Amino acid sequence: DFSMHYSMVDVACRGADPRRLGATLSLDRYGPPADARVTFLDNHDLPRIAHICGAEGGEPEARARVDAALLLLFAIRGTPCLTWGTEALVGGGEEPANRPDLPWSNVGVRGPAVRMLQDLRARHPALFAGDSQVVDASSAGLRVVRRAGEDVAVIDVKSVGTDEDWNPSAV
């Protein structure tokens, strides 16, 4: 799902307007069912998410952007796909730099966070099978509600670096 890839990466790593993610979700009605879409942050043909977010040097703000991207990957509709090394903050821009050897000593860097997100998604049907609805969108933030039966998940995406206050509508 390249359209979702670019939306998540642009919003989480590049500070794009969060409505970009909402616009991508609004186009879902024209494509395959949500559970048939594979969402991803990077792959063997694209720059790695650590590179895009600027986390190759280990800066805390850049790692936080990677964490935000990972959270989106596991919270948003579709089936999340991780490329080897994402959990180790493997970097690299264009090919072949995006295909380095796996630094085994770094595998635990984001591994626990990824496991926590996998467990959270597995426990909540709204996250792995829920319908998505954008209920609030502005340049300051986006609120997506996912529902599956009685299970409800609310995903709030706040814009970084905006002076605009964001007071999302109640769910």
Side-chain angles (χ1 to χ4, degrees):
D1 187 347
F2 278 91
S3 59
M4 185 57 73
H5 158 77
Y6 288 113
S7 293
M8 289 188 298
V9 166
D10 287 350
V11 170
C13 298
R14 297 182 177 128
D17 188 315
R19 291 177 290 193
R20 178 157 167 38
L21 189 60
T24 301
L25 287 169
S26 74
L27 297 173
D28 281 357
R29 64 184 174 267
Y30 297 114
D35 61 350
R37 298 167 190 247
V38 177
T39 55
F40 59 96
L41 298 173
D42 54 18
N43 68 26
H44 63 281
D45 289 327
L46 296 170
R48 302 305 298 257
I49 192 67
H51 177 81
I52 297 167
C53 289
E56 290 169 309
E59 299 83 4
E61 284 184 23
R63 281 189 178 195
R65 290 190 293 270
V66 172
D67 288 345
L70 285 166
L71 181 57
L72 281 175
L73 178 67
F74 283 91
I76 217 72
R77 62 96 178 114
T79 302
C81 177
L82 282 178
T83 302
W84 65 268
T86 299
E87 76 289 357
L89 292 177
V90 166
E94 300 299 324
E95 295 178 47
N98 62 346
R99 300 176 187 176
D101 291 338
L102 181 63
W104 289 101
S105 60
N106 290 357
V107 169
V109 173
R110 303 307 325 135
V114 169
R115 263 190 307 283
M116 185 267 307
L117 292 169
Q118 289 171 321
D119 291 345
L120 184 67
R121 185 177 172 92
R123 285 194 318 268
H124 293 281
L127 292 176
F128 66 80
D131 294 325
S132 298
Q133 179 183 11
V134 176
V135 296
D136 191 41
S138 75
S139 62
L142 176 79
R143 175 168 278 180
V144 178
V145 175
R146 299 198 61 204
R147 289 185 172 89
E150 296 296 315
D151 196 46
V152 177
V154 178
I155 298 109
D156 285 338
V157 181
K158 182 157 180 3
S159 182
V160 176
T162 181
D163 292 332
E164 184 180 344
D165 285 336
W166 184 51
N167 299 308
S169 57
V171 176

